[in-house]
């Protein structure tokens, strides 16, 4: 008796051509699977189907797209042609469009099923799309009163699709209540749910892989956008943690990253430990951006490229000529933050893309206050939680992160973040003003460097030619301490 082969069967995965979607699906679409694209009206189901179809269709794997809408395929394609994924050369050669509207005139869904089978057998496609499947169900009826039109059609169409050796998609508008009772959600191998909702003045679009048989999909809701390129999916930060190379923190704590200021490096105990996050806090005009620029410039000097996300100024408004020069030379990548209503997932996606493209070792977020304001109102509620995941995943990749945060200097209080974000940082550098002899003077101090000794001194500093020059400690000045707040004196 021959041995039974116990080797697992590997199902080929098809790359969808939709940025970010394959990561959610677990690597791509299983070939010959029976899938449902469902969701609310206007959420982008047809656009997603077309984007996948034009990416996958070729002479060896042809596609057929059935439309059951009142509008003709030509009218639908008129709008889809605006996207760059649309390839006119594939239409009528690798891709065929069939309108089933006339077959639904008398509501006989058996005729519709026969027409679908006839067209599939004649064209032999590797991809089959039916849009909108729900239109067939609403228009159809069954001769057997004991079987609902939906159940009968799902059973018949499901059996046919399984025998076609084609990857199939049924597209339909469903409400959550309908999905809970619909038999098609049980029969389908894969279910992709799309939705959109208005939150204050913003439109939020979410996508969820409800089910994908035989592979581990990314759970939960993920943000997506429909832009001039089509649909782009931004996996949640928590999902991205699974796809980034992790490093051992003990390998980096002994390696120090110079800050670009020798005196500050000495105050920090030899520089900032690699793969740490540092929070630079201070009032307006205290030089936080200048310190961040010195941090990036020092990296470039050492051959380490960097990335900056400037939320308070556009790249053209960056005050430092040094920073503009580094960006122009390609030593520092810039995150696009000028568009309002951003999502944390979208920004984190851009950060990862720039870090990987440049193999960057340093990243600056300037500032956390501007970051939060740039987000859509719907994402601000989860800002602290998502920011924690984002910083954790970046430092796990070996990236050293510098964040700035603006604080109102009230002289009598001592705070290290505006929204309780100090816990994010492995190190904190404080900048503030003090009054000395009727003048406002800037002072700087290292509040903490985790697992490292550091100076406890509060030192004067000045800003000259986009450089921070740190001077003597306040303790060298007799009588000055008596005029400072109690908390600073105790520090």
């Amino acid at each position: 008796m021959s041995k039974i082969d116990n080797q697992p069967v590997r199902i080929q995965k098809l790359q969808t051509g939709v940025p970010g979607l394959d990561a959610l699906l677990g690597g791509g679409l299983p070939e010959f699977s029976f899938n449902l694209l469902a969701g609310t009206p206007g959420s982008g189901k047809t656009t997603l189907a077309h984007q996948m179809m034009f990416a996958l269709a070729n002479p060896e794997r042809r596609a057929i797209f059935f439309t059951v809408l009142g509008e003709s395929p030509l009218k639908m394609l008129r709008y889809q042609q605006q996207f760059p994924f649309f390839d006119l050369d594939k239409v009528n050669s690798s891709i065929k469009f069939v309108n089933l509207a006339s077959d639904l005139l008398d509501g006989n869904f058996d005729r519709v099923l026969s027409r679908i089978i006839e067209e599939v057998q004649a064209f032999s496609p590797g991809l089959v799309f039916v849009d909108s499947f729900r239109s067939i169900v609403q228009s159809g009826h069954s001769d057997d009163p004991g079987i609902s039109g939906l159940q009968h059609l799902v059973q018949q169409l499901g059996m046919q699709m399984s025998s076609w050796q084609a990857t199939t998609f049924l597209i339909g508008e469903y409400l959550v209540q309908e999905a809970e009772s619909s038999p098609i959600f049980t029969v389908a191998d894969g279910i992709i749910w799309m939705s959109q909702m208005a939150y204050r003045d913003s439109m939020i679009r979410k996508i969820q892989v409800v089910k994908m048989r035989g592979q581990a999909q990314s759970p939960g809701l993920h943000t997506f956008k429909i832009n001039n390129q089509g649909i782009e999916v931004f996996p949640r930060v928590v999902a991205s943690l699974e796809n980034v190379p992790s490093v051992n923190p003990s390998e980096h704590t002994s390696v120090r990253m110079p800050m670009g200021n020798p005196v500050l490096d000495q105050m920090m105990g030899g520089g900032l430990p690699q793969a740490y996050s540092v929070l630079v806090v201070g009032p307006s005009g205290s030089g936080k951006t200048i310190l961040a620029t010195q941090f990036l410039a020092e990296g470039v000097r050492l051959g380490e490229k960097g990335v900056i996300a400037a939320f308070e100024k556009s790249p053209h408004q960056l005050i430092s000529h040094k920073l503009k020069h580094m960006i122009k030379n390609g030593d520092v990548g810039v995150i696009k933050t000028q568009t309002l209503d951003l999502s944390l997932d979208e920004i984190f996606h851009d950060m990862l893309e720039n870090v990987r493209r440049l193999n960057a070792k340093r990243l600056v977020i300037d500032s956390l206050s501007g970051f939060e304001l740039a987000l859509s109102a719907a994402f601000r509620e989860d800002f602290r939680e998502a920011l924690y995941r984002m910083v954790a995943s970046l430092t796990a990749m070996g990236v050293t992160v510098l964040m700035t945060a603006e604080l109102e200097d009230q002289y009598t209080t001592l705070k290290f973040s505006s929204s309780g974000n100090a816990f994010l940082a492995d190190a904190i550098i404080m900048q503030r003003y003090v009054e000395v002899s009727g003048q406002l003077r800037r002072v700087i101090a290292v509040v903490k460097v985790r697992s490292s000794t550091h100076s406890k001194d509060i030192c004067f500093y000045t800003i000259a030619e986009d450089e921070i020059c740190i001077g003597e400690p306040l303790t060298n000045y007799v009588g000055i301490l008596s005029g400072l707040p109690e908390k600073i004196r105790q520090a």
Side-chain angles (χ1 to χ4, degrees):
M1 181 181 294
S2 61
K3 292 184 178 180
I4 299 176
D5 189 1
N6 290 323
Q7 293 297 322
V9 176
R10 295 190 178 275
I11 299 176
Q12 181 180 354
K13 297 180 181 179
L14 306 178
Q15 305 302 301
T16 62
V18 180
L21 181 58
D22 291 338
L24 300 192
L25 297 173
L29 279 168
E31 191 175 25
F32 309 143
S33 58
F34 176 20
N35 303 286
L36 175 65
L37 300 182
T40 56
S43 56
K45 300 180 297 298
T46 300
T47 300
L48 179 65
H50 277 87
Q51 193 166 345
M52 290 191 293
M53 179 177 66
F54 277 98
L56 292 169
N58 54 50
E60 291 74 34
R61 188 197 297 120
R62 297 191 294 179
I64 187 167
F65 198 102
F66 294 100
T67 60
V68 241
L69 305 173
E71 60 184 11
S72 65
L74 289 177
K75 183 178 179 181
M76 177 183 60
L77 291 177
R78 178 188 176 193
Y79 295 100
Q80 295 297 318
Q81 288 183 58
Q82 301 176 96
F83 295 112
F85 62 74
F86 184 90
D87 188 349
L88 186 60
D89 294 335
K90 290 186 177 183
V91 178
N92 295 328
S93 58
S94 298
I95 297 174
K96 181 179 181 179
F97 289 89
V98 178
N99 191 356
L100 300 174
S102 59
D103 298 278
L104 281 173
L105 291 178
D106 60 356
N108 190 331
F109 67 83
D110 290 325
R111 181 183 301 172
V112 174
L113 182 60
S114 298
R115 175 77 187 281
I116 292 175
I117 295 173
E118 177 185 338
E119 293 286 350
V120 169
Q121 290 176 342
F123 195 64
S124 299
L127 301 163
V128 178
F129 297 82
V130 181
D131 184 13
S132 153
F133 173 73
R134 192 165 182 259
S135 299
I136 300 178
V137 174
Q138 291 177 328
S139 303
H141 67 270
S142 173
D143 294 333
D144 185 348
I147 301 178
S148 67
L150 174 58
Q151 184 176 356
H152 178 78
L153 187 57
V154 168
Q155 291 173 344
Q156 295 298 316
L157 196 55
M159 288 188 295
Q160 290 294 333
M161 287 182 164
S162 300
S163 65
W164 286 340
Q165 291 293 290
T167 308
T168 56
F169 302 84
L170 303 185
I171 305 162
E173 297 174 356
Y174 287 90
L175 302 177
V176 176
Q177 296 87 341
E178 296 174 309
E180 293 175 351
S181 60
S182 176
I184 191 173
F185 281 78
T186 302
V187 176
D189 300 314
I191 301 172
I192 300 175
W193 186 274
M194 306 175 72
S195 63
Q196 64 177 0
M197 56 174 265
Y199 187 93
R200 296 184 181 178
D201 296 329
S202 305
M203 181 62 71
I204 308 301
R205 289 188 168 95
K206 294 286 187 177
I207 188 169
Q208 179 184 12
V209 182
V210 179
K211 178 171 73 170
M212 191 58 59
R213 282 198 177 112
Q215 54 196 55
Q217 72 272 14
S218 295
L221 295 172
H222 306 265
T223 307
F224 76 94
K225 279 193 172 183
I226 303 177
N227 52 35
N228 293 334
Q229 303 300 311
I231 287 179
E232 185 172 6
V233 179
F234 305 102
R236 287 189 305 144
V237 172
V238 66
S240 300
L241 282 169
E242 302 171 1
N243 302 319
V244 298
S246 60
V247 297
N248 186 352
S250 62
E251 297 177 0
H252 297 282
T253 52
S254 60
V255 179
R256 298 283 179 153
M257 307 278 283
M259 297 290 295
N261 188 301
V263 179
L264 181 59
D265 290 339
Q266 185 177 2
M267 293 174 66
M268 299 185 73
L272 180 67
Q274 187 178 5
Y276 264 35
S277 59
V278 57
L279 183 63
V280 180
V281 296
S284 178
S286 59
K288 299 181 296 296
T289 301
I290 292 175
L291 184 60
T293 301
Q294 288 185 262
F295 172 73
L296 290 173
E298 181 67 11
V300 172
R301 187 185 71 82
L302 297 173
E304 301 169 352
K305 295 191 176 183
V307 175
I308 182 170
F311 291 95
E312 296 186 354
K313 304 178 183 70
S314 69
H316 301 291
Q317 296 173 323
L318 291 170
I319 60 174
S320 172
H321 294 291
K322 180 187 298 184
L323 185 54
K324 291 179 181 179
H325 182 72
M326 291 187 290
I327 293 172
K328 184 178 179 181
N329 288 346
D331 294 318
V332 173
V334 180
I335 307 298
K336 297 178 181 179
T337 61
Q338 285 69 58
T339 304
L340 295 178
D341 289 343
L342 294 170
S343 72
L344 277 161
D345 300 328
E346 182 177 356
I347 293 171
F348 183 63
H349 170 269
D350 290 343
M351 286 182 180
L352 282 183
E353 288 294 311
N354 276 271
V355 166
R356 288 167 175 160
R357 177 176 59 87
L358 297 172
N359 192 24
K361 300 300 181 184
R362 302 181 181 219
L363 183 140
V364 167
I365 300 174
D366 185 28
S367 68
L368 293 182
S369 308
F371 189 176
E372 189 171 3
L373 288 176
L375 295 175
S376 167
F379 296 99
R380 293 176 195 166
E381 298 177 359
D382 303 323
F383 178 69
R384 293 175 72 246
E385 179 183 352
L387 186 62
Y388 170 78
R389 293 194 182 111
M390 184 179 73
V391 173
S393 58
L394 286 167
T395 54
M397 296 172 62
V399 178
T400 306
V401 181
L402 184 149
M403 302 169 286
T404 69
E406 183 167 330
L407 295 177
E408 180 182 357
D409 199 332
Q410 298 180 349
Y411 295 97
T412 57
T413 60
L414 193 60
K415 293 175 62 179
F416 301 127
S417 67
S418 56
S419 303
N421 296 320
F423 75 97
L424 291 169
D426 300 305
I428 297 177
I429 299 172
M430 177 194 68
Q431 298 174 328
R432 67 176 305 167
Y433 296 111
V434 296
E435 184 180 354
V436 180
S437 302
Q439 290 185 333
L440 286 179
R441 300 282 300 275
R442 297 183 178 97
V443 294
I444 189 170
V446 177
V447 177
K448 79 169 183 178
V449 179
R450 186 167 287 145
S451 302
S452 174
T453 57
H454 60 85
S455 171
K456 304 299 190 296
D457 288 333
I458 300 174
C459 298
F460 286 116
Y461 71 95
T462 58
I463 299 176
E465 298 181 357
D466 294 334
E467 296 281 347
I468 286 182
C469 303
I470 301 176
E472 295 181 300
L474 270 68
T475 51
N476 291 357
Y477 291 79
V478 178
I480 290 181
L481 283 175
S482 60
L484 294 177
E486 179 66 22
K487 291 184 178 180
I488 294 183
R489 284 191 277 118
Q490 291 178 355

